Amino acid sequence: MPPMQVNRLEKGGRVDRADAVNFTFNGRPLQGYVGDTLASALLANGVKVVARSFKYSRPRGVVGHGSEEPNAIVQVASGAATIPNLRATQVQIYEGLEAFSVGGWPSVDFDLMSVVGWFSRLMPPGFYYKTFMWPARLWLTYEHFIRKAAGLGQAPQLRDPDSYDKLNHHCDVLIVGAGPAGLSAALEAASAGARVIIADEQHEMGGSLLSGKASIGALSGQQWLQDSCEQLAAYGNVTVLPRSTVFGYYDHNFLAILERRNDHLVPQLRTGSRQRLHRVRARQVILATGAIERPLVFANNDVPGVMLASSVCTYLNRYGVAPGKKLLLFTANDNAYQCALDWHAAGRTVVAVVDSRAAPDGPKVNACRRAGIEVIAGHGVIDVKGKKAVNAAIVAPLNAEGTALTGSSRPLDCDLIACSGGWSPVVHLSSHNGVKPRWDSDAIGFLPGVSSQAECSVGAAAGSYTLLACLAEGAAAGASAAGKTGNGNGESGFVAPNTQEKTEHAPQALFLVPHSQRTSRAPKQFVDFQLDVTAASIELAAREGYESVEHVKRYTAMGFGTDQGKLGNINGIAILARALGQDIPSTGTTMFRPCYTPTTFGALAGRDVADLFDPERYTAMHRWHLEHGAQWENVGQWKRPWYFPQSGESLHQAVNRECLAVRSSVGLLDASTLGKIDIQGRDAAEFITRMYTNSYLKLAPGKCRYGLMLKEDGMIFDDGVTACISENHYLMHTTTGGAAGVLAWLELWHQTEWPHLEVYFTSVTDHWSTATISGPNARKVLAKVCDDIDLEGDQFKFLDWRECTVAGVKARVFRISFTGELSYEVNVPAHSGRHIWEALMAAGEEFAITPYGTETMHVLRAEKGFIIVGQDTDGSMTPQDMNMDWIVGKNKTFSFIGKRSLARSDSIREGRKQLVGLRTLDPLQVLPEGSQIVNDPAEAIPMAMQGHVTSSYYSANLKHSIALAVVKGGLGRMGDRVYCPLADGAVIEAEIVDSVFYDPTGERQNV
Amino acid sequence: MLQIKCPYCQELREEDEFSYGGEAHIERPANPEACSDEEWGAYLFFRKNPRGVHHEMWNHAAGCRRYFNVTRNTVTYEILESYPMGEKPAVLAAGPGERN
Ligand SMILES: [Zn+2]
């Protein structure tokens, strides 16, 4: 039997008392009603402590009622479906809901950290700065406790079982927030015929109308709300999105909305995607995001039972919950008196209203007095008694400015302190675009700045707090926005309802309530509840010399919580301003960035997960590789066979076998992924010659040439073989990963510098399949399936290519080699890829032809000292650095791309890193790639770095390890000893040698 | 996320379809070998990076594959015009420091 809901009123509110909902909080069974949030249900049950604070482990209770809530952060559900970092004020309860506090270790009611008491000393202001100055050794110790004690929930350990989706929209008018201003705007825009989306983060439309007792003309606010929602639902041009947070406002009126479709349902009733990300391009945006009440900063203002006045009203009026027995209201404005009036009307005791102003006299103030409520003017609550719950408020007289006490204090017994420092417009979304909010001293808050986007802010978000102003501004903005999209004449037909609104007298700007002791000595006065930032820590920051609010935020961590300081930032800036002796505008503003509230990764990823995360590209031979046990290497989006292990073989065993097979007989490689660009046009040869370091002007049909492509800064960018197909027709090969970049590079130069050259580029990478036969028996294998050309070495030479028929398929065969062996690259139209592969495997059977993968290819080319662009180069290497001066055409008439840079003083200086080989003294030891190279391992740290290892393998053919490296002045250091100190303390000794380890004269490929 | 009009396709399309091409209207010296290191370095490395109006190249990579010019405000990210390669911008920066 669940306990009584001790704080639930007998009637009133929008909850359904006939429909009970059972849930648990930290394992304790509780009951609420349909319509409750977790926060209202907890308060109904008298639960006061819902969390422990981040830094000081202080007990904390519910403060607010919406997305501003800093304390009541909970984790919902368990196992794979667990969701961390939710605000209890935004979680709708459902039957069987399990919720847990986050933080608070080992429990919220008994917190070890607060007992030990050393934790706060560990985290002084400036924690984030100072931590990094501490010895790294200690940080590991601290981190262990900090993570355990201060976490804001636990990420699920299992794969997310839910699905998420995305929806792209275009609309005429997007309205953010469905309070009176937003609804009024939507009604006008919709009636003008505009396509409208209205989104609200709550599960019901209505905003402040849900929490108050206002009337609109002859209607109650609630009735007006119901009528308006029905009208909107009847329009075919309106999309209403409840439970939908517009969390980001990006350039060109692009907004992102997180719709929570299922989270409020009993798990068995959930269908379809859990959450949906709406990506909206809106022609006009109306921000009707409302305002958040500002708490007052006084000593021990974080004791559970200190709440926002508007939140107390909301729990009373919307949920039928009175979160206490004896209310004390502390305010600096007329507006909050409504809280005392509502509390009184609910039949509960109002101990007093404490007003910081000397002579409050507005209509609501006097209504309180008429109701017999004591108004203590010119006073403030300076302290709170109680640890886990409020016992009493300490009240003292204040001077007119609210900056000092003018007399002695006295306690007033109460169990609930509602406080109001005024309102802070929700300017978050408008500032997402970099628009700075501007301080308005009349509104005592930041108002939205002037944006260059097609947007406007209305109602409380723009500092207009009366209901009539919200309705009128909303209507005008709705009509105007619709008009700008060609719907209606832009004029609002809004007629002000005959509503008597109580006028309010001027509020006081009160940001820090003084204490009898100075701030640094007073009990903690909290500014940012979630990250435990106090007034004293902000003043300390000012004393330590921080003047920019951005620096103070980082120093104190103010506003860095998951609530982004929705409650605390403005008090914090004001306290800093006073400490610095300046006004708020010159102290700075507060900028906000997406996301407005935490957003799940699942929603951002949508369906782009697992197999759909990124496209995979397969060659036409892919399935054969799969059937023959290939292990895969990802090269860009391509899946390339890495090696083909036979039963029980390790990577190294397989690669050693494949390497030996190629050099002793013959191997077969799938080279289809190499980039291929078909280049045609009268000026094709001229263009190609401008892009490579060597010349193609005299390359005849049937011939190939290897080229090195540079960026204009002279650094190697790509390499590959280009073949002359016929006059004015070439085929350029690029690296597998560089294909798209090279094509864009060619287009850039053609379109921007040399549009007068007649040349056309077409990517044909996917049009061809390539099987490379390599090894001394390559010609014999090819001869078995190709009889329409002469394959003899003097007829079909190295760097020739031929059109011929291979296994019945018309093919282009290139005699080029990346292994240093006799090689033929057989290119056939892609749909014949598997056929040609199988035909070559069959033809090679008598020679034990061995399929090999990229790892063997890498080893074999490294034995020959052939570089891989992007592995042996890193964007800072010239051809000279790679010892490839031979390929740079010194006498080309046109100054090819990058040529001038090769003569820059930095390109020709001594001591540049140059490509060399390394041989380890221990022939079996393989240097880790990336190892740093030094001359003297005994040198004091930091040692003088000489370079690093770029490629390193064990060579089965040579029976020792080989490595390529770039070493300062390396080409002049042949025979020198160098050292590679490893992370584990070991040092590998090696000798600098020539980068060509195998067949340096190239005899094997020229047979 | 920007919306960019390709002057060749004559369509306003999502930024996803485009790739950035850097500052526009930088001409390659006609005779690089005649440049001093300083002149060549200025061509190679130095860019305006203005606060405000900026002329820049974009490539309609997932569309017509053509490069074109865009005048964009680097503060507000407003795109003021798109125009084909070889044409001059209609919108120029008001203040000093802008050389076109
Ligand atoms: Zn286009």
Side-chain angles (χ1 to χ4, degrees):
Chain A
M1 189 62 193
M4 283 276 294
Q5 298 181 42
V6 292
N7 284 335
R8 184 77 68 177
L9 301 178
E10 278 173 23
K11 57 181 172 46
R14 299 172 70 89
V15 293
D16 184 353
R17 287 176 178 73
D19 207 347
V21 174
N22 295 289
F23 68 100
T24 64
F25 181 64
N26 292 333
R28 187 179 153 201
L30 296 168
Q31 200 169 67
Y33 296 129
V34 166
D36 265 327
T37 62
L38 179 59
S40 68
L42 289 173
L43 290 171
N45 283 280
V47 176
K48 292 203 182 268
V49 180
V50 295
R52 286 276 173 172
S53 74
F54 178 71
K55 181 172 153 189
Y56 301 120
S57 271
R58 289 165 68 106
R60 289 283 164 79
V62 175
V63 170
H65 63 280
S67 55
E68 75 286 354
E69 173 60 38
N71 288 339
I73 309 298
V74 295
Q75 180 125 9
V76 166
S78 49
T82 190
I83 315 165
N85 200 7
L86 293 173
R87 290 141 304 284
T89 49
Q90 293 190 295
V91 174
Q92 278 179 268
I93 58 167
Y94 53 80
E95 185 66 26
L97 169 90
E98 303 170 281
F100 307 90
S101 301
V102 301
W105 167 66
S107 83
V108 289
D109 287 319
F110 175 79
D111 190 293
L112 182 64
M113 305 311 289
S114 67
V115 173
V116 174
W118 57 270
F119 193 57
S120 67
R121 291 200 304 278
L122 262 183
M123 291 175 71
F127 173 70
Y128 291 101
Y129 281 5
K130 291 174 179 169
T131 296
F132 300 107
M133 308 297 284
W134 294 349
R137 178 174 46 82
L138 283 180
W139 171 239
L140 293 174
T141 312
Y142 303 143
E143 191 190 21
H144 171 73
F145 287 101
I146 290 164
R147 286 208 184 283
K148 191 164 184 175
L152 291 172
Q154 301 216 318
Q157 301 295 308
L158 302 169
R159 195 188 154 135
D160 192 337
D162 291 308
S163 66
Y164 302 81
D165 63 31
K166 295 181 189 175
L167 196 58
N168 295 318
H169 300 263
H170 292 266
C171 69
D172 292 324
V173 185
L174 172 65
I175 297 159
V176 187
L183 287 170
S184 181
L187 290 168
E188 285 281 344
S191 72
R195 281 202 298 164
V196 174
I197 297 174
I198 179 166
D200 194 285
E201 61 183 349
Q202 301 204 52
H203 69 273
E204 290 184 282
M205 302 282 121
S208 62
L209 295 174
L210 298 166
S211 315
K213 292 179 165 176
S215 55
I216 297 174
L219 300 177
S220 72
Q222 311 253 343
Q223 188 61 49
W224 183 89
L225 171 60
Q226 192 181 330
D227 293 353
S228 300
C229 288
E230 283 168 8
Q231 276 184 57
L232 285 177
Y235 282 113
N237 51 333
V238 178
T239 303
V240 178
L241 295 175
R243 296 185 196 86
S244 297
T245 305
V246 180
F247 64 83
Y249 189 168
Y250 306 92
D251 297 306
H252 295 195
N253 265 8
F254 180 74
L255 295 96
I257 308 175
L258 178 73
E259 181 189 6
R260 292 168 293 277
R261 301 182 64 248
N262 272 343
D263 292 346
H264 61 293
L265 298 174
V266 176
Q268 295 83 334
L269 296 180
R270 297 177 184 178
T271 55
S273 59
R274 179 185 153 215
Q275 296 181 342
R276 175 172 293 159
L277 179 67
H278 296 261
R279 296 154 43 95
V280 183
R281 193 68 82 162
R283 296 173 70 189
Q284 296 284 325
V285 171
I286 297 173
L287 300 172
T289 46
I292 293 171
E293 197 161 36
R294 204 158 49 233
L296 286 162
V297 180
F298 48 88
N300 292 311
N301 59 338
D302 67 325
V303 174
V306 180
M307 297 178 70
L308 297 175
S310 58
S311 300
V312 172
C313 285
T314 299
Y315 289 113
L316 265 183
N317 298 328
R318 181 171 175 186
Y319 300 103
V321 172
K325 297 274 185 283
K326 291 182 290 182
L327 171 84
L328 182 134
L329 172 68
F330 178 25
T331 180
N333 57 67
D334 280 11
N335 190 268
Y337 278 76
Q338 190 65 45
C339 174
L341 292 168
D342 289 354
W343 189 266
H344 180 76
R348 303 236 166 175
T349 307
V350 178
V351 175
V353 178
V354 175
D355 194 324
S356 64
R357 297 171 298 176
D361 193 31
K364 281 184 184 168
V365 180
N366 290 322
C368 273
R369 289 187 175 122
R370 280 197 301 279
I373 297 169
E374 183 187 5
V375 175
I376 307 175
H379 277 65
V381 174
I382 64 161
D383 203 347
V384 177
K385 290 289 163 211
K387 286 264 183 264
K388 291 183 189 171
V390 171
N391 296 330
I394 309 298
V395 174
L398 305 177
N399 64 0
E401 295 75 35
T403 53
L405 304 189
T406 56
S408 56
S409 63
R410 61 184 159 121
L412 288 176
D413 279 0
C414 59
D415 64 354
L416 178 64
I417 299 173
C419 57
S420 175
W423 293 91
S424 299
V426 177
V427 298
H428 297 63
L429 289 176
S430 96
S431 83
H432 282 182
N433 285 306
V435 177
K436 282 190 175 172
R438 59 192 166 84
W439 180 254
D440 186 297
S441 51
D442 290 332
I444 315 176
F446 283 103
L447 301 184
V450 178
S451 170
S452 59
Q453 304 237 42
E455 58 101 317
C456 66
S457 296
V458 293
S464 301
Y465 299 127
T466 70
L467 184 52
L468 270 182
C470 287
L471 294 171
E473 284 180 18
S480 165
K484 285 175 188 158
T485 63
N487 295 286
N489 61 6
E491 299 292 323
S492 158
F494 178 75
V495 179
N498 183 18
T499 304
Q500 287 296 313
E501 281 197 276
K502 291 193 173 75
T503 53
E504 292 180 6
H505 288 190
Q508 183 175 32
L510 183 64
F511 300 110
L512 173 60
V513 182
H515 192 269
S516 50
Q517 295 180 285
R518 65 174 190 270
T519 308
S520 58
R521 292 293 182 91
K524 290 184 169 58
Q525 300 159 309
F526 286 94
V527 175
D528 180 323
F529 295 109
Q530 193 174 82
L531 290 190
D532 271 349
V533 178
T534 61
S537 65
I538 294 170
E539 291 187 0
L540 175 65
R543 279 203 304 281
E544 291 199 359
Y546 292 88
E547 292 175 3
S548 150
V549 67
E550 291 301 327
H551 292 159
V552 170
K553 280 170 72 174
R554 281 156 184 78
Y555 184 81
T556 61
M558 179 177 78
F560 276 82
T562 60
D563 62 345
Q564 291 199 338
K566 290 183 177 73
L567 295 183
N569 275 4
I570 289 163
N571 285 330
I573 291 170
I575 290 166
L576 177 66
R578 201 174 80 181
L580 295 171
Q582 58 193 30
D583 61 10
I584 289 173
S586 46
T587 303
T589 178
T590 180
M591 293 296 285
F592 299 98
R593 290 178 183 84
C595 303
Y596 178 69
T597 46
T599 302
T600 53
F601 284 114
L604 297 176
R607 301 288 164 116
D608 304 329
V609 294
D611 287 348
L612 300 181
F613 176 66
D614 197 33
E616 289 180 355
R617 297 175 79 181
Y618 302 147
T619 72
M621 294 81 136
H622 184 82
R623 192 151 288 281
W624 189 95
H625 305 326
L626 204 60
E627 288 160 9
H628 291 79
Q631 300 296 301
W632 303 100
E633 183 182 12
N634 297 326
V635 184
Q637 291 172 326
W638 286 105
K639 289 276 174 194
R640 298 196 69 179
W642 185 18
Y643 60 102
F644 290 89
Q646 294 181 349
S647 60
E649 272 184 337
S650 67
L651 164 68
H652 292 293
Q653 288 166 332
V655 168
N656 288 347
R657 173 180 52 75
E658 291 173 12
C659 285
L660 291 168
V662 173
R663 296 225 187 275
S664 63
S665 180
V666 64
L668 192 62
L669 174 80
D670 181 354
S672 308
T673 62
L674 276 187
K676 293 175 272 294
I677 301 172
D678 186 276
I679 303 176
Q680 302 193 35
R682 203 177 51 223
D683 299 310
E686 171 65 24
F687 187 89
I688 296 167
T689 300
R690 293 181 182 192
M691 303 309 293
Y692 278 126
T693 60
N694 50 353
S695 177
Y696 292 75
L697 295 173
K698 297 205 175 83
L699 190 68
K703 296 288 181 186
C704 308
R705 186 162 291 165
Y706 172 79
L708 210 49
M709 198 178 281
L710 311 183
K711 287 268 166 145
E712 189 73 304
D713 61 5
M715 303 305 158
I716 295 170
F717 162 54
D718 202 76
D719 68 344
V721 169
T722 294
C724 180
I725 304 297
S726 62
E727 196 187 352
N728 301 333
H729 185 188
Y730 296 81
L731 182 69
M732 176 186 283
H733 289 89
T734 74
T735 56
T736 294
V742 171
L743 180 63
W745 181 242
L746 303 180
E747 292 280 13
L748 173 69
W749 286 98
H750 179 232
Q751 293 180 30
T752 63
E753 285 289 340
W754 312 311
H756 52 280
L757 295 185
E758 187 195 286
V759 58
Y760 305 93
F761 314 100
T762 309
S763 169
V764 294
T765 302
D766 297 281
H767 299 210
W768 297 92
S769 285
T770 308
T772 299
I773 324 165
S774 193
N777 288 319
R779 185 177 293 137
K780 292 177 195 157
V781 173
L782 184 58
K784 289 181 70 180
V785 288
C786 173
D787 58 8
D788 56 351
I789 56 164
D790 188 347
L791 297 176
E792 281 312 307
D794 54 346
Q795 292 301 309
F796 187 177
K797 298 196 191 82
F798 182 57
L799 290 177
D800 283 352
W801 79 271
R802 294 286 179 269
E803 198 158 65
C804 55
T805 308
V806 178
V809 179
K810 209 175 163 200
R812 289 174 179 170
V813 177
F814 299 87
R815 195 181 155 188
I816 51 185
S817 177
F818 197 38
T819 60
E821 298 295 327
L822 172 66
S823 297
Y824 299 93
E825 298 202 346
V826 181
N827 288 263
V828 294
H831 61 268
S832 298
R834 178 155 184 172
H835 164 74
I836 210 78
W837 181 272
E838 288 183 331
L840 290 169
M841 284 301 295
E845 198 172 349
E846 63 182 281
F847 309 102
I849 193 167
T850 300
Y852 67 97
T854 51
E855 187 68 18
T856 290
M857 178 186 83
H858 283 177
V859 176
L860 296 175
R861 65 88 203 177
E863 289 172 351
K864 286 289 296 175
F866 295 150
I867 62 161
I868 289 183
V869 173
Q871 175 165 343
D872 301 298
T873 70
D874 60 2
S876 70
M877 299 290 171
T878 66
Q880 292 98 322
D881 297 339
M882 288 290 108
N883 198 17
M884 292 173 79
D885 222 13
W886 54 271
I887 203 173
V888 179
K890 304 285 188 307
N891 302 316
K892 286 166 72 172
T893 44
F894 191 87
S895 182
F896 62 83
I897 298 297
K899 182 184 182 189
R900 172 63 184 85
S901 292
L902 298 180
R904 287 178 63 231
S905 55
D906 189 64
S907 305
I908 55 175
R909 71 176 157 80
E910 295 287 306
R912 286 185 65 87
K913 289 180 186 173
Q914 295 170 318
L915 184 77
V916 294
L918 289 183
R919 271 196 74 168
T920 52
L921 266 56
D922 174 355
L924 294 181
Q925 196 154 31
V926 180
L927 286 161
E929 286 177 357
S931 296
Q932 293 293 324
I933 297 164
V934 300
N935 287 336
D936 175 8
E939 197 183 328
I941 292 171
M943 300 184 191
M945 301 295 191
Q946 301 303 314
H948 64 276
V949 176
T950 59
S951 295
S952 180
Y953 314 92
Y954 178 73
S955 165
N957 285 300
L958 296 165
K959 299 189 175 56
H960 63 77
S961 76
I962 56 170
L964 299 177
V966 288
V967 175
K968 286 179 184 170
L971 292 172
R973 296 190 56 186
M974 291 299 146
D976 279 8
R977 291 287 167 84
V978 289
Y979 301 86
C980 292
L982 305 184
D984 65 4
V987 175
I988 302 179
E989 190 173 358
E991 181 185 342
I992 297 180
V993 297
D994 190 89
S995 57
V996 183
F997 294 90
Y998 189 82
D999 184 26
T1001 54
E1003 286 167 24
R1004 299 179 68 90
Q1005 70 191 12
N1006 283 314
V1007 291
Chain B
M1 195 161 66
L2 309 179
Q3 274 185 313
I4 299 168
K5 183 171 182 177
C6 170
Y8 301 105
C9 297
Q10 284 292 321
E11 289 234 11
L12 191 64
R13 310 289 296 180
E14 294 289 313
E15 186 181 332
D16 289 355
E17 293 187 12
F18 300 87
S19 58
Y20 186 63
E23 185 180 327
H25 306 302
I26 293 172
E27 223 170 302
R28 190 175 198 247
N31 185 358
E33 273 60 45
C35 293
S36 66
D37 265 14
E38 195 174 345
E39 288 164 343
W40 185 252
Y43 154 71
L44 206 52
F45 301 120
F46 286 83
R47 297 296 180 264
K48 286 181 191 143
N49 196 23
R51 182 181 166 82
V53 170
H54 186 235
H55 306 293
E56 60 199 25
M57 297 190 293
W58 286 81
N59 181 14
H60 197 182
C64 63
R65 253 173 50 192
R66 296 184 73 176
Y67 283 85
F68 58 93
N69 300 309
V70 160
T71 304
R72 184 174 62 94
N73 184 317
T74 60
V75 178
T76 64
Y77 285 26
E78 284 171 289
I79 289 181
L80 306 165
E81 59 178 333
S82 300
Y83 52 101
M85 252 333 126
E87 291 189 8
K88 292 275 174 231
V91 184
L92 300 176
E98 180 78 3
R99 300 155 290 150
N100 280 300

